[in-house]
Amino acid sequence: MAAKPSDFDRGLALHQQGRLAEAEQLYRRVLRTAPTHFDALHLQGVICGQTDRFDEALVLLKRALAQRPDSAPALTNLGNTLGSLGRHQEAVQAFERALAVRPGDAKALRNRGTSLRALERPEEALASFDAALALQPAYPEALIGRAECLLTLHRRSQAIAAFQQALALGKDVDQIQYALAALGVGSAPSTAPAGYVEALFDMYAHNFDDHLVKTLGYRTPELLCAELQRAHPPTGGEVIDLGCGTGLCGPLLQPLAGRLTGVDLSGLMLAKARELGLYDELVQGDIVAALEGQPRRFDIAVAADVFVYIGDLEAVFAATAAALRPGGLFAFSVEACEDGSDFALGAKRRYAHSLTYLQRLAAAHGFTTESSTRCAIRKESDEAVDGLLVVMKRA
């Protein structure tokens, strides 16, 4: 008669099927009776990482490694978790410990490259991606990482070739085509792929505010909310912060709001916004989807530095117009488009929009323009990026 599967074995089987909650329940049961069970600690830590509970994952993985300090898989997962927490220097150290045990681990090399790139060490990151590719040539994530490093190092033609190699492997096609379009290869899509935007902001969630404010001189929330104040906004009504990110606009909008809602694609950004305690509701998802089905609910809609990831704004204007009450205000920023087109995708993978395009959309969707102010909205390579701060009123 076959032996009855243990709780751990059943948990592992469920984990492999993607049934994470059920697997975690069984791992927890194992740990109640065997608190030093290495595999249960390790794999429960992996599940916490898979469900964006990185602080819990870190505790569990450290407990697992106390049992087996030289476990290459656990060290690699520790590095992944530290990277997700924005602790990239520690992540690199964890990956290097894993590679000392198992030098031929392409995944650890690729993830080490990702953390080195986040630390702005592109030459070392490139070497790590190249080492991963020497072991596994058809590794699309390593090819994408390699391409990004080459761009940082101003080796544009080589970056394009690496993106094209990755594209041929059929993974993350939309995101690679978007990157290539920004480099002038192929036609630009009407909006950035949602997966690209979500991954980008998940990666930077933990040091996003410092990077924006200190490195890029980012002042758009303050400038845009000052522009909004000049339009004499109502107070005590419903306010929606579209693409709220970590909540940089939250302290500026909360005094105007009886109820403040935030929307963003990035779950990790929303987790940081939630810590502020300023938002009555936080919604993960697309801003158009969040506005649809809520006719005349909001008094103010704000989108600070959001439309740089959306080229065609037709759907946004339509949904915002429907969701605003008559007389409601719509305040947003854009980067300024100078080439005579309605909108254009730049080399930094950000869209710029022309004022004539915005005014045409306003007329089509029942908005009047209260103000449009040109100013520097951030820095790029120590040079000011021109933008527009626009406030419109729903007729």
Side-chain angles (χ1 to χ4, degrees), residues 195-257:
Y196 164 77
V197 178
E198 182 179 3
L200 177 68
F201 287 104
D202 276 352
M203 181 169 69
Y204 289 115
H206 293 279
N207 57 9
F208 183 72
D209 294 3
D210 279 350
H211 177 71
L212 276 183
V213 176
K214 294 177 183 176
T215 306
L216 299 181
Y218 180 71
R219 294 180 57 224
T220 303
E222 292 92 336
L223 295 170
L224 183 60
C225 288
E227 197 78 11
L228 176 64
Q229 287 286 358
R230 284 191 280 275
H232 307 294
T235 57
E238 290 257 12
V239 179
I240 186 164
D241 186 357
L242 301 169
C244 64
T246 58
L248 287 172
C249 284
L252 303 166
L253 295 175
Q254 201 265 345
L256 299 176

Side-chain angles (χ1 to χ4, degrees), residues 339-359:
D339 68 359
S341 58
D342 289 345
F343 58 88
L345 178 63
K348 298 295 183 181
R349 287 174 236 176
R350 294 164 67 92
Y351 290 95
H353 299 83
S354 72
L355 182 58
T356 54
Y357 174 59
L358 300 173
Q359 290 171 333

